[in-house]
Each structure stands twice: as C-alpha cells, then as structure tokens.
C-alpha cells in the first residue's frame, strides 16, 4: 500500500508538471509580438494608444485621489491602471502607464502635467547654456518606481508589456516651447538659429531615452514604442538634417535588445521611409494614410501598426464597424497590428472599443 501512495504521488507530480507547463505557455498571449516580428499569429492583434485614460470611469476615480505623476510614483496603483484596460477590452498588449515627460524631471527640467493642456515646463530651454544644464540620469536611482511597476506587470500580465519614451524632437518641442504648441515656432527658431545647441540637445535626449528604454526592457518590457508625435511638423529636408541622425543613433543603441522597436508619429506620412530607415522594426501610421500603400512604400520590411481615426470612436456603431473593416481589408500578410491613428480621447465609449476588439479578433480573410 505505501508503494501505491508513492506511485499516486509520483503520478500526480508527473501529470502536474507538464500540465502546469502547458497552462503557463498557453495562457500567455504572444500574438502582438508575433505580428511585430511579421510572423503568423492566431488573430490580428490589437491594442489602443491611451488605452488607460479618462474615457474610463475607474481611471477618473483614481485621478480624484492621485495626479497623473502620483499614479506613476505608486507602483501598485500604476500597475492596476495599466492592467485595467487589458482586462476590460481583451487587447493583446499592455502599455506602461506613464508619460513622455516623466524622465525629463531627473534631467533637470521642472514640469507639471496640467489638466486639458498637457505638459508645462517651468524652466524652458532657450540657449546653449540651458542645454549644458541638462544632466544625465540613472533610472534605477531616479525613477525606481517605474522598474517596480514593470516588475509587478511582468508577474500579473498574460500579454506583452510595451515600454515607451518620447522621441527627441517631440520632447525638445515641449522643453523649448515650455508647453504644447501649434506652430512650433520657438522650436524651429532654436533649430535654425542655434544648430550646434540644437544637435547637442537632441544628442542628449537620444542618449538618455535609449538608456531609459534599456532600463524598461531590463525590468520586463517586451517591446518599446518611440512616440514622435509632433515631428510631422517638419519638412522632409529638415527631418533629415535635424532629427534623423539622432534617431539612427537612438535606434542603433537599442538593436541588441532584440525587442520590437515601434516608431510612431502623427501627420508624418511624408517621413515614413525615413522613420523606417532609422532602425524601427514596426512603423505606426495615423489615419491620414492608407495601410496598404504605406506598407508597400516601406517595402514590407517592417510591421505596421494603426490606424483608425480616434474620432470614429464617437461615430454610430455601423460606421465604426465599416471603418474597422476598411482597415482590415487592406491587410494581406502577417505583420499588422490594429491600433488607432493616435490616442483615445476622453469622449470615447468603452463598449465601442470592445466591439472593435471582437471584430478584429474575429476577422478572417
Ligand atoms: O495608455 C497609454 O497609452 C499609456 C499612457 C500614456 C500617457 N501619455 C498618459 C497620459 C502615454 C503613452 C503618453 C504619451 C504621451 N504624453 C505623448 C505621446 C503620445 C501622444 O498622445 O501623442 C505625448 C505627446 C504626451 C504629452 C501629454 N501628456 C499630453 C499631450 C497630454 C494630454 C493633455 C490632456 O489633458 O488632454 C498628457 C496628459 C496625459 N498623459 C493623460 C494621460 C492618460 C491625460 C489624462 C490625465 O491627465 O489624467
């Protein structure tokens, strides 16, 4: 009899180990990473830029108690805010809840995020001396809570986590303007009138943001997105001269991480080939361009992500369905990730987002 008990114990273990293995491998949804690598996936993966935000009643509740930056400084709260849309919407990736401005604090730039305005900089950069004052930082020392949040997420999530930074131009535009801008006049004046200081600023930002992304990956981010939201305001020639070399340097400093590198911009259709040539492995598209034409233009050398107009989220259900289908029909190979062309707006409705996720997951050609 004792043998039988031993045998049952052994059998139990022998069964439990592979079962646990099968369950753990099966439960991780890697469709997003496969699409980033242009490999076949079970379904077209989808996530939304700004999937954690004011359209969610739960997020608005959290914001009553914590400012945006306070959320980032509390790993448990920040991880919960990151996870919530993944659970609610059934998307295939999570994006770390943070802001592109978070790492400029430890570089010596004082800022606040003002409701309905965005980042406001108290000590904007206006000349070479200001650029020299920008310091290098160590994320482990200055932003330890980011690492702690990512470690919680790595344990809790069953989808890949996307880390992110703002690209040098978009960050420089806030740092020089002092806040959001429509014309980017101060930024462009700085760029044209003080090119040496400009390149020094861009070089510092590229170096620091590459380091910060490496930190995020070391803690568990499985892919990274570089947001160059406002770079589309530059001409092709100015992008080539004032931005491109810094982006090449930044992406080449990330290459050995072997994680997908997503490069995203708004109104940047004219810059797409250069945004690919920087070294990105996924290019994000806004709604002003077509998926099929853009992908062809990029020689299918990268995966593409996009590009539903976020304004469509407030349209009637049949229009949402039709516009979603219009995007899906342009996809004829592996390597596509469904997303919006820019972030979700506070007016969006969670049920509409859920319906889009179901439609994309259920799509068969
Ligand atoms: O869910 C996610 O996408 C992750 C969270 C995230 C935030 N900001 C949180 C946030 C991400 C990826 C960003 C990136 C970011 N921040 C960008 C690049 C992407 C883009 O939208 O182009 C830029 C340019 C910023 C700067 C910034 N921060 C802006 C323009 C705003 C909006 C101002 C407003 O009130 O409408 C912010 C504030 C901000 N960052 C919010 C969120 C959820 C707004 C809500 C809040 O204040 O709680």
């Amino acid at each position: 009899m004792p043998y039988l008990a031993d045998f049952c114990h052994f059998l139990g273990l022998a069964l439990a180990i592979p079962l646990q293995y099968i369950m753990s491998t099966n439960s991780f949804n890697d469709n997003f990473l496969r699409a980033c690598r242009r490999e076949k996936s079970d379904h077209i993966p989808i996530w939304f830029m700004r999937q954690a935000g004011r359209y969610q009643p739960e997020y608005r509740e959290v914001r009553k108690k914590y400012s945006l930056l306070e959320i980032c400084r509390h790993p448990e709260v920040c991880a919960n805010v990151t996870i919530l849309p993944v659970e609610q919407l059934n998307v295939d990736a999570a994006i770390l809840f943070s802001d592109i401005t978070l790492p400029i604090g430890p570089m010596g730039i004082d800022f606040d995020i003002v409701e309905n305005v965005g980042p406001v900089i108290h000590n904007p950069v206006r000349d070479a001396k200001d650029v020299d004052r920008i310091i290098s930082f160590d994320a482990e020392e200055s932003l330890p809570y980011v690492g702690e949040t990512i470690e919680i997420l790595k344990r809790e999530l069953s989808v890949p986590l996307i880390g992110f930074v703002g690209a040098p131009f978009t960050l420089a535009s806030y740092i020089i303007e002092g806040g959001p801008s429509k014309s980017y006049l101060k930024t462009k004046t700085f760029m044209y009138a003080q090119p040496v200081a400009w390149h020094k600023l861009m070089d510092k930002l590229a170096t620091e943001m590459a380091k910060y992304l490496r930190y995020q990956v070391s803690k568990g981010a499985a892919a990274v997105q570089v947001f160059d939201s406002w770079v589309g305001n530059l001409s092709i020639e100015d992008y080539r001269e004032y931005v491109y070399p810094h982006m090449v340097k930044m992406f080449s400093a990330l290459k050995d991480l072997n994680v997908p590198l997503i490069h995203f911009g708004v109104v940047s259709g004219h810059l797409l080939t250069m945004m690919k040539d920087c070294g990105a492995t996924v290019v994000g598209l806004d709604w002003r361009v077509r998926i099929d034409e853009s992908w062809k233009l990029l020689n299918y050398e990268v995966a593409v992500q996009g590009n539903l107009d976020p304004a469509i989220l407030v349209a009637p259900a049949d229009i949402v369905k039709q516009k979603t289908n219009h995007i899906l029909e342009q996809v004829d190979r592996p390597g596509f990730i469904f997303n919006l062309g820019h972030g979700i707006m506070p007016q969006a409705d969670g049920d509409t987002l859920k319906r889009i996720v179901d439609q994309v997951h259920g799509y068969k050609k």
Side-chain angles (χ1 to χ4, degrees):
M1 271 327 244
Y3 292 114
L4 185 65
D6 275 355
F7 179 69
C8 288
H9 182 68
F10 170 75
L11 193 69
L13 266 182
L15 283 175
I17 292 167
L19 203 66
Q20 196 185 24
Y21 177 72
I22 289 162
M23 279 171 65
S24 67
T25 50
N26 272 358
S27 61
F28 189 80
N29 168 1
D30 68 346
N31 285 296
F32 164 75
L33 293 175
R34 280 192 267 160
C36 288
R37 295 191 294 253
R38 286 177 288 143
E39 295 165 7
K40 275 206 168 121
S41 49
D42 301 336
H43 55 248
I44 290 179
I46 173 168
W47 67 280
F48 299 105
M49 289 185 275
R50 284 276 160 88
Q51 60 192 19
R54 283 167 297 181
Y55 77 95
Q56 297 169 298
E58 297 89 347
Y59 177 81
R60 294 197 296 269
E61 273 307 303
V62 175
R63 285 282 278 105
K64 283 183 188 161
K65 277 181 51 192
Y66 302 93
S67 70
L68 194 148
L69 295 171
E70 280 165 355
I71 296 176
C72 301
R73 290 187 201 112
H74 290 81
E76 286 290 341
V77 180
C78 193
N80 285 339
V81 167
T82 305
I83 293 169
L84 190 69
V86 179
E87 290 179 344
Q88 285 180 334
L89 305 174
N90 193 28
V91 283
D92 299 284
I95 181 156
L96 174 71
F97 187 83
S98 183
D99 194 76
I100 56 164
T101 41
L102 191 75
I104 66 172
M107 294 176 75
I109 297 158
D110 301 326
F111 72 96
D112 263 324
I113 296 179
V114 179
E115 187 105 39
N116 297 319
V117 176
V120 172
I121 314 295
H122 305 309
N123 54 346
V125 164
R126 293 287 151 77
D127 56 29
K129 275 209 296 308
D130 294 337
V131 174
D132 287 338
R133 274 196 284 272
I134 295 177
I135 51 174
S136 171
F137 78 104
D138 178 67
E140 186 84 64
E141 242 169 59
S142 310
L143 305 169
Y145 40 84
V146 175
E148 285 167 43
T149 305
I150 296 175
E151 279 167 351
I152 299 173
L153 289 167
K154 187 157 169 64
R155 286 198 301 274
E156 304 269 322
L157 285 169
S158 53
V159 294
L161 175 70
I162 303 168
F164 72 91
V165 292
F169 178 86
T170 292
L171 288 175
S173 78
Y174 282 111
I175 292 170
I176 295 169
E177 301 286 335
S181 169
K182 285 209 162 69
S183 62
Y184 300 91
L185 207 57
K186 290 192 184 83
T187 309
K188 290 185 183 180
T189 306
F190 191 107
M191 198 171 84
Y192 297 130
Q194 306 182 71
V196 176
W198 168 264
H199 283 295
K200 207 165 177 184
L201 173 63
M202 292 290 280
D203 186 64
K204 282 189 176 192
L205 290 167
T207 306
E208 294 307 311
M209 291 310 119
K211 254 172 42 192
Y212 182 46
L213 281 178
R214 294 188 74 87
Y215 171 73
Q216 294 179 45
V217 171
S218 78
K219 295 293 172 180
V224 297
Q225 177 151 328
V226 178
F227 283 96
D228 213 349
S229 304
W230 314 137
V231 80
N233 285 283
L234 293 184
S235 67
I236 295 176
E237 292 71 28
D238 284 349
Y239 185 87
R240 189 177 292 124
E241 181 168 350
Y242 296 102
V243 177
Y244 184 69
H246 305 286
M247 299 309 294
V248 170
K249 187 175 167 185
M250 188 172 158
F251 277 105
S252 65
L254 300 169
K255 209 172 167 197
D256 67 307
L257 291 172
N258 274 322
V259 299
L261 309 171
I262 312 169
H263 195 180
F264 167 77
V266 187
V267 210
S268 52
H270 58 304
L271 304 175
L272 288 180
T273 48
M274 276 194 282
M275 288 176 72
K276 177 200 70 166
D277 292 342
C278 293
T281 59
V282 184
V283 171
L285 307 172
D286 86 353
W287 62 94
R288 295 167 181 89
V289 294
R290 282 181 65 95
I291 295 287
D292 51 4
E293 287 173 6
S294 306
W295 213 351
K296 185 161 180 248
L297 184 76
L298 298 172
N299 277 331
Y300 306 105
E301 288 163 6
V302 286
V304 291
Q305 174 177 282
N307 69 343
L308 190 72
D309 182 347
I312 285 165
L313 299 177
V314 294
D318 56 327
I319 301 285
V320 177
K321 197 169 173 184
Q322 185 196 319
K323 299 283 184 190
T324 301
N325 206 49
H326 175 66
I327 291 172
L328 292 168
E329 278 176 347
Q330 295 174 53
V331 179
D332 62 352
R333 64 195 69 214
F336 176 68
I337 301 127
F338 197 102
N339 205 314
L340 302 175
H342 202 178
I344 300 176
M345 292 182 289
Q347 297 83 352
D349 168 34
D351 288 335
T352 304
L353 293 167
K354 258 190 262 177
R355 278 199 298 275
I356 295 173
V357 172
D358 289 343
Q359 187 179 344
V360 171
H361 282 172
Y363 183 76
K364 289 273 177 297
K365 241 202 166 123

